[in-house]
């Protein structure tokens, strides 16, 4: 439980980071094995403190590099396309990651490995969010243009369905076989 991890202090915070690292590893080894809801729940619970367990303060007090690792792994999951989320959410995660790096230095995560790919991605997400905010502020309102506001449609994502050709071929082959057996059994 999270509460149990909190009682363990530094080691508990480290185990949270290890758990998130394992989730990332599962997705890396078998893409599609970790649902989008899992990434969202990791963000909500550990970075946004949706359970109101004082996560930010606990990480800060016991092991700030564990929190940095959680944010780093979420950014890397997004960078690699494992986690699809909106720009505002990515900017919030990037902000937490950058704040931690500024305050505590780099945690030396193996994914970062001195190459600064995740740092560059975090910076790009913050720039993108800023550019979108500026564009939204500068965009004319639908009322001033005389055009109606266009709403995004949300719903289920359509997925391709495998065709049932093999079943149809098997049925046709069986029908031909039955026909041939009937023809061959007839007396001449």
């Amino acid at each position: 439980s999270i509460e149990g991890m909190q009682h363990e202090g530094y080691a508990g915070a480290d185990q949270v980071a290890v758990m998130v690292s394992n989730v990332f590893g599962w997705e890396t080894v078998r893409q599609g094995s970790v649902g989008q809801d899992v990434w969202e729940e990791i963000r909500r619970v550990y970075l946004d403190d949706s359970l109101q367990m004082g996560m930010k303060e606990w990480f800060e007090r016991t092991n700030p590099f564990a929190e940095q690792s959680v944010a780093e792994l979420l950014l890397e999951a997004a960078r690699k396309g494992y986690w699809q989320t909106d720009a505002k959410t990515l900017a919030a995660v990037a902000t937490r990651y950058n704040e931690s790096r500024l305050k505590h230095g780099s945690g030396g995560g193996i994914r970062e490995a001195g190459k600064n790919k995740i740092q560059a991605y975090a910076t790009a997400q913050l720039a993108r969010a800023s550019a979108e905010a500026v564009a939204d502020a500068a965009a004319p309102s639908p009322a001033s243009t005389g055009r109606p506001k266009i709403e995004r449609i949300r719903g289920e994502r359509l997925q391709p369905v495998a065709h049932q050709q093999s079943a149809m071929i098997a049925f046709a082959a069986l029908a031909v076989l039955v026909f041939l057996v009937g023809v061959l059994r007839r007396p001449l």
Side-chain angles (χ1 to χ4, degrees):
S1 75
I2 296 170
E3 194 172 70
M5 294 293 186
Q6 287 180 321
H7 287 299
E8 294 300 321
Y10 178 90
D14 190 55
Q15 282 305 302
V16 168
V18 167
M19 182 272 303
V20 176
S21 180
N22 288 341
V23 170
F24 184 87
W26 295 329
E27 183 63 24
T28 301
V29 172
R30 187 163 187 259
Q31 289 186 9
S33 62
V34 178
Q36 296 301 305
D37 59 323
V38 174
W39 296 114
E40 284 298 321
E41 192 68 6
I42 288 169
R43 177 191 58 81
R44 281 193 299 265
V45 170
Y46 297 113
L47 297 184
D48 293 351
D49 197 18
S50 64
L51 301 176
Q52 299 177 344
M53 299 183 77
M55 297 305 294
K56 185 174 177 79
E57 297 79 15
W58 174 64
F59 278 126
E60 186 64 32
R61 187 177 65 253
T62 60
N63 186 350
F65 294 112
E67 180 189 40
Q68 189 179 118
S69 179
V70 170
E72 179 180 293
L73 287 159
L74 287 171
L75 289 168
E76 184 68 348
R79 189 180 79 82
K80 291 191 175 232
Y82 304 151
W83 177 38
Q84 286 85 38
T85 191
D86 59 87
K88 183 178 176 183
T89 300
L90 277 177
V93 174
T95 298
R96 281 293 271 284
Y97 177 71
N98 282 342
E99 286 173 352
S100 179
R101 283 182 60 112
L102 284 171
K103 186 171 184 177
H104 305 289
S106 173
I110 193 165
R111 278 156 203 82
E112 189 67 272
K115 296 179 185 170
N116 293 324
K117 286 182 182 179
I118 298 169
Q119 179 64 50
Y121 183 75
T123 302
Q125 295 313 305
L126 291 170
R128 178 177 151 207
S130 294
E132 287 179 8
V134 168
D136 288 346
S141 69
S144 68
T145 62
R147 289 180 279 166
K149 180 181 178 186
I150 298 173
E151 293 184 32
R152 282 201 151 159
I153 298 172
R154 297 181 187 260
E156 279 192 47
R157 177 171 279 183
L158 298 178
Q159 300 291 327
V161 177
H163 294 290
Q164 300 289 332
Q165 283 183 330
S166 58
M168 293 175 77
I169 291 171
F171 179 75
L174 181 62
V176 169
L177 182 64
V178 169
F179 174 77
L180 289 176
V181 169
V183 169
L184 292 175
R185 293 188 131 210
R186 288 175 126 187
L188 294 174

